[in-house]
Amino acid sequence: MARRPREVCRYKGGAAPNCVVVDAMLGWLARWLRIIGIDTAYGDAPDEELARTSCLLVTRDRALFERRRGPALLLLTEDHVEWLSALIHLLNVKPFVESRCPKCNTVLREAPCSDAEALVGHKIYSNRCWICPNCGSVYWEGSHWRGLRTTVKEALQRDVRCEKTF
Ligand SMILES: [Zn+2]
């Protein structure tokens, strides 16, 4: 007899909205979602506020998921690639069309790397640079960014779909 597939995530709430709130346990995920371009708030908000948001609530907390009336995603795996895969497919996003600042969620502006070098005060060995118009943080495509692209590619291939409950 075939084994029942392991449950990776559970979703409720009809059509997924185009913004996300992750609970305080998922800071890593919040930064990554912003970099791939998803509008993501990161929960210093209290649970009652999280329970009310109209954005997609992403949590690992079953009790919070059960209480929630709006759209919610419960992550039941430890595998970070599966988290990304579930969200990319659920929200139907094309990763990296526009990146957001991992620190403040503002859409990044691509800039000449010479401008970025002037801001950070050292040479940047990259062809692509971005500046956050809100907090002034500078980013460039280096080994970390390439590692991230590889992980996102893997997430797209994994094709994780969440079980829907209503
Ligand atoms: Zn910023």
Side-chain angles (χ1 to χ4, degrees):
M1 206 171 85
R3 233 179 62 194
R4 195 166 177 271
R6 178 176 59 97
E7 195 183 9
V8 171
C9 48
R10 201 173 291 171
Y11 175 72
K12 67 175 183 184
N18 60 2
C19 56
V20 165
V21 178
V22 304
D23 78 19
M25 306 298 286
L26 296 170
W28 174 90
L29 183 62
R31 289 190 295 277
W32 277 54
L33 294 180
R34 286 170 175 171
I35 294 169
I36 67 176
I38 297 171
D39 181 1
T40 307
Y42 169 48
D44 21 25
D47 275 7
E48 310 86 73
E49 210 169 297
L50 288 180
R52 274 202 312 267
T53 177
S54 59
C55 293
L56 173 68
L57 174 68
V58 181
T59 185
R60 304 202 63 193
D61 179 341
R62 277 174 193 271
L64 182 58
F65 180 80
E66 299 299 336
R67 273 206 309 279
R68 168 80 170 150
R69 302 211 180 276
L73 175 66
L74 176 66
L75 297 171
L76 298 163
T77 168
E78 300 291 327
D79 185 331
H80 291 188
V81 178
E82 289 183 333
W83 294 359
L84 277 181
S85 185
L87 274 152
I88 288 169
H89 291 110
L90 183 60
L91 299 171
N92 199 21
V93 286
K94 256 180 105 68
F96 301 112
V97 171
E98 59 177 15
S99 286
R100 289 170 177 265
C101 178
K103 291 181 191 154
C104 75
N105 196 38
T106 304
V107 175
L108 295 176
R109 178 172 62 80
E110 190 157 4
C113 286
S114 54
D115 291 3
E117 284 173 347
L119 284 170
V120 295
H122 61 75
K123 176 92 183 120
I124 295 172
Y125 296 95
S126 178
N127 297 320
R128 296 189 74 187
C129 294
W130 295 265
I131 297 170
C132 175
N134 178 51
C135 74
S137 294
V138 175
Y139 304 93
W140 57 91
E141 198 166 286
S143 57
H144 179 68
W145 201 284
R146 283 190 293 273
L148 200 150
R149 280 185 188 277
T150 307
T151 304
V152 168
K153 214 168 135 191
E154 200 188 326
L156 285 166
Q157 284 164 353
R158 282 273 193 108
D159 201 20
V160 170
R161 309 284 167 160
C162 303
E163 190 170 300
K164 291 196 177 183
T165 59
F166 295 93

